[in-house]
Amino acid sequence: MERKVVFSGVQPSGGLTIGNYVGAIKNWVDLQEEYDCYYCIVDLHAITVPQVPKDLRQNTLKVLAIYLASGMDSEKSTLFIQSHVRAHAELTWVLNSISYMGQLSRMTQFKEKAKRSEENLNAALFTYPVLMASDILLYQADLVPVGEDQKQHLELARDLAERFNNKYSETFKVPAPLIQKFGAKIMSLQNPEVKMSKSDTDENAYILILDKPDAIRRKIKRAVTDSIGEIKYNDDQLGVKNLMNIYSVFSGDSVETIENNYQGVGYGKFKEDLAEVIIEGLTPIQEKYDYFMKNKDYLEKIYKEGAEKANYAAMKTLRKVYKKVGFIQP
Ligand code: TYM
């Protein structure tokens, strides 16, 4: 029996946060045992906002090193760079032809980004979710492990798959999102009502996977809580709830256990312990990351092999698509 397919990706735009780690990357590791996994570094997505070319190149390698350091294994999974597989851009063009402007303009992330970057409201930002659908559909993915913020994009990918299948006959697998119960939405440490994001202007709002212990301790110490003073998991204490989520995913303890362990204990001690739990989780990744970043030849070997494997799978789907829409074979 053929193994089911998993696809996911991260944008190489600046440092990755523990939100990216907990909401996505961390969950990808175990899937490798059971599924055919494609883990992509989505550089085509990254240029929807301004990038410095030299930094983009460097950040792309950094994300690959983080993948490997987090436990992604090129023997088990296909690790590749999006722009190395031309089919992503090509399928996007075809899917653009069945995408409705109205539906794309309702995408929450587009609306938010549009508000923030009015001077750079480019067309790629608008069709970004179509590119994301192409990523997924090219590999006939069954499952897409992502954080909560990508759910709407996943729904669009499903819609496009179904629309294409109805119009041109069965072609694409309709993918399902895989979203964790805890940690699927890590919030800003400074404002627990908004998502933790690397594009936040306040660097105390996020912890990066590569942050050193001192920075982690400082940021957690400054994290916003409340004046209630109890470690309780509820929506009246969004700051504390967020910190408990982070504690839970890094330590493996349930939120009930955390509540029990910290009964009658103040926020100070809880925050100190939380910082240590995060440091303990990130240190081995950082050590491996340093090792991989010193081995650029190895990284190059990984992404080249990955591109070859990804290209083979993607072209199979793209050829079908081109045939169905009526393009003459070259
Ligand atoms: P990106 O690069 O913004 O984020 C990568 C992954 O991290 C998750 N994530 C979070 N999870 C929990 N809490 C947070 N604060 C948090 N911030 C980010 C995201 O949900 C995501 O899973 N469009 C995508 C990348 C992409 C993709 C794809 C993903 C392109 N093509 C195909 C899956 C399949 C994005 O911008 O993710």
Side-chain angles (χ1 to χ4, degrees), residues 274-318:
L274 171 59
E276 297 314 311
V277 165
I278 299 172
I279 291 165
E280 209 174 292
L282 295 183
T283 302
I285 296 174
Q286 294 177 357
E287 285 168 2
K288 289 189 201 124
Y289 166 86
D290 289 339
Y291 167 80
F292 287 120
M293 283 306 277
K294 284 194 201 106
N295 286 281
K296 295 274 162 54
D297 289 351
Y298 180 68
L299 293 181
E300 185 178 325
K301 178 174 168 281
I302 299 283
Y303 69 66
K304 285 198 165 154
E305 283 173 7
E308 217 173 289
K309 281 199 276 173
N311 200 47
Y312 180 81
M315 282 310 293
K316 243 167 59 182
T317 302
L318 190 71

Side-chain angles (χ1 to χ4, degrees), residues 52-204:
V52 177
K54 155 168 127 330
D55 295 347
L56 181 58
R57 270 191 288 276
Q58 185 68 4
N59 285 333
T60 302
L61 290 182
K62 284 184 179 174
V63 176
L64 179 58
I66 287 180
Y67 281 4
L68 293 168
S70 305
M72 254 63 85
D73 181 346
S74 63
E75 300 278 312
K76 295 178 186 158
S77 302
T78 306
L79 311 178
F80 72 105
I81 298 169
Q82 190 183 27
S83 62
H84 290 179
V85 181
R86 305 271 150 93
H88 290 250
E90 294 188 37
L91 181 60
T92 302
W93 185 251
V94 176
L95 292 184
N96 269 336
S97 73
I98 59 160
S99 297
Y100 304 135
M101 303 281 284
Q103 192 173 15
L104 293 181
S105 63
R106 282 192 298 276
M107 293 290 127
T108 317
Q109 209 167 66
F110 170 72
K111 287 196 284 188
E112 278 170 9
K113 285 194 179 166
K115 249 193 279 165
R116 263 189 276 138
S117 53
E118 260 159 32
E119 74 285 2
N120 182 45
L121 204 46
N122 61 68
L125 202 56
F126 188 67
T127 55
Y128 170 117
V130 185
L131 175 59
M132 180 161 159
S134 302
D135 299 341
I136 299 164
L137 302 183
L138 272 178
Y139 300 92
Q140 305 289 350
D142 296 273
L143 282 179
V144 185
V146 282
E148 183 78 38
D149 64 332
Q150 297 301 319
K151 206 170 159 190
Q152 195 184 28
H153 290 160
L154 249 297
E155 274 156 24
L156 181 85
R158 291 169 58 87
D159 275 1
L160 289 178
E162 278 166 1
R163 200 174 301 154
F164 190 96
N165 288 348
N166 288 336
K167 187 165 176 186
Y168 296 107
S169 83
E170 202 62 27
T171 308
F172 295 120
K173 181 83 65 63
V174 180
L178 183 65
I179 298 174
Q180 299 294 314
K181 190 151 168 253
F182 291 100
K185 195 167 187 188
I186 299 296
M187 310 309 280
S188 153
L189 299 177
Q190 290 300 314
N191 175 7
E193 312 234 359
V194 304
K195 179 185 83 162
M196 180 182 284
S197 160
K198 55 201 164 203
S199 55
D200 205 305
T201 48
D202 180 357
E203 64 167 42
N204 285 317

Side-chain angles (χ1 to χ4, degrees), residues 62 67 115 124 133 223 253 261 324 327:
K62 284 184 179 174
Y67 281 4
K115 249 193 279 165
D253 291 347
N261 290 349
K324 294 207 184 187
F327 295 162

